[in-house]
Amino acid sequence: SKRRGGRGGAFLYGTHYSTPAYVLFFLVRSAPQHALRLHGGRFDHADRAFASMATTWETCLTNQADVKELIPEFYQSGGAFLSNSRGLDLGTQHDGKVVEGVELPPWAKDPADFTSQCRKALESDYVSERIHEWIDLIFGYKQQGEAAKMAFNVFHPLTYEGGVDLAGVTDDAERHALIEQISEFGQTPKQLFIAPHPRRT
């Protein structure tokens, strides 16, 4: 369902696919100091923790408010961010399961194998033949305007470059709130293309 922003028009998604909270959701084991800062000195509730690839995948598929996008570590690392090598106390979920390392799909032998297979998938012919569609959504003509509406790709107006003229906001409290919202809920990248991106050959 469409929602209306306080500044600007209707939107489908109130948060963005790349926010500090989403990045730290994935990196809590390798960058705990930042996760602690984000959550006021505590780790987030264990039931919301990044504990299982299957659960995270299912949530992204079924919860319209969850628009996480995988971060580069899924493709360019040895997978250390998936292991709890520091022995962090990430809590216990409501079913009694202690959050440790991320539960991987059965086809992955270990975190290094998982990220290696993710990288192979990203570099596959299947993805290469379709990567232009992702580029159109993120950097291209389906990022804004009517094409974005038709692609169900409309985010909160503040996430877009020029969505608000901060210099024109005279109230200090309102300006601070807008800056915090932009910082915490993510930003749409600069639009680079206004026509369909060519298919990779």
Side-chain angles (χ1 to χ4, degrees):
S1 66
K2 288 185 181 179
R3 292 178 282 177
R4 187 158 294 279
R7 286 182 165 267
F11 60 93
L12 293 171
Y13 310 107
T15 190
H16 218 264
Y17 45 79
S18 182
T19 69
Y22 285 168
V23 172
L24 291 173
F25 170 82
F26 290 126
L27 295 180
V28 65
R29 293 162 183 84
S30 60
Q33 67 280 17
H34 299 299
L36 289 168
R37 183 171 180 222
L38 182 70
H39 296 293
R42 295 183 293 233
F43 291 117
D44 197 10
H45 193 280
D47 285 320
R48 288 192 297 261
F50 179 38
S52 159
M53 279 305 305
T55 301
T56 300
W57 173 259
E58 184 64 26
T59 302
C60 288
L61 286 179
T62 60
N63 181 350
Q64 185 178 354
D66 192 338
V67 292
K68 290 180 192 77
E69 186 165 279
L70 297 181
I71 59 176
E73 283 76 2
F74 280 92
Y75 309 102
Q76 67 182 23
S77 75
F81 74 102
L82 300 165
S83 299
N84 190 7
S85 59
R86 298 176 189 213
L88 300 171
D89 180 0
L90 299 172
T92 303
Q93 296 179 328
H94 74 279
D95 60 2
K97 189 172 186 177
V98 176
V99 178
E100 293 288 346
V102 177
E103 191 177 297
L104 300 173
W107 47 260
K109 291 183 258 182
D110 55 36
D113 180 56
F114 176 73
T115 56
S116 174
Q117 291 198 52
C118 286
R119 186 169 42 257
K120 287 177 186 171
L122 183 65
E123 295 169 352
S124 70
D125 289 342
Y126 180 88
V127 172
S128 290
E129 291 166 4
R130 292 162 180 79
I131 194 75
H132 65 284
E133 296 171 8
W134 178 82
I135 292 169
D136 287 340
L137 288 169
I138 306 301
F139 301 104
Y141 83 105
K142 290 183 180 179
Q143 184 199 80
Q144 297 182 40
E146 195 58 35
K149 291 177 190 173
M150 296 302 293
F152 302 104
N153 192 38
V154 182
F155 292 86
H156 192 284
L158 283 179
T159 69
Y160 295 96
E161 184 176 44
V164 63
D165 176 17
L166 289 173
V169 178
T170 56
D171 181 88
D172 288 341
E174 182 182 4
R175 186 181 318 102
H176 177 74
L178 289 169
I179 290 169
E180 285 295 309
Q181 182 170 354
I182 291 167
S183 174
E184 294 296 324
F185 292 98
Q187 291 180 277
T188 302
K190 184 175 185 64
Q191 187 176 26
L192 301 177
F193 309 107
I194 56 171
H197 197 275
R199 188 180 192 133
R200 188 172 179 186
T201 56

